[in-house]
Amino acid sequence: MFGFLKPNPAKKLRKAYDSKLEQAMHAQRNGDMRLYADLTEQSEQIWQQLTELEKANAK
């Protein structure tokens, strides 16, 4: 009945993923390629977690 009050972990991961990509974009524009690579790697890890979560919820 009150399912809308439960936190959505997928939404939280999506927000973190978008934030990391934006940080990576700014690092790339500033010419910091090492930071860009690190942030991109972190965003890829978050994406993997998100896809695993969505697969688990689909079952």
Side-chain angles (χ1 to χ4, degrees):
M1 180 173 169
F2 292 105
F4 65 92
L5 294 176
K6 293 181 183 177
N8 187 354
K11 186 176 180 180
K12 183 177 179 182
L13 282 174
R14 175 68 73 170
K15 188 173 183 178
Y17 174 74
D18 291 340
S19 174
K20 287 291 178 186
L21 284 180
E22 186 174 353
Q23 291 173 3
M25 177 193 64
H26 289 297
Q28 185 181 29
R29 286 185 179 176
N30 290 332
D32 192 352
M33 290 298 119
R34 186 175 305 266
L35 180 61
Y36 169 73
D38 291 340
L39 291 171
T40 303
E41 182 180 350
Q42 291 173 10
S43 69
E44 298 259 341
Q45 291 172 355
I46 294 172
W47 184 256
Q48 289 296 329
Q49 292 174 356
L50 182 62
T51 55
E52 289 173 7
L53 182 65
E54 289 177 347
K55 285 181 184 178
N57 287 340
K59 290 182 180 180

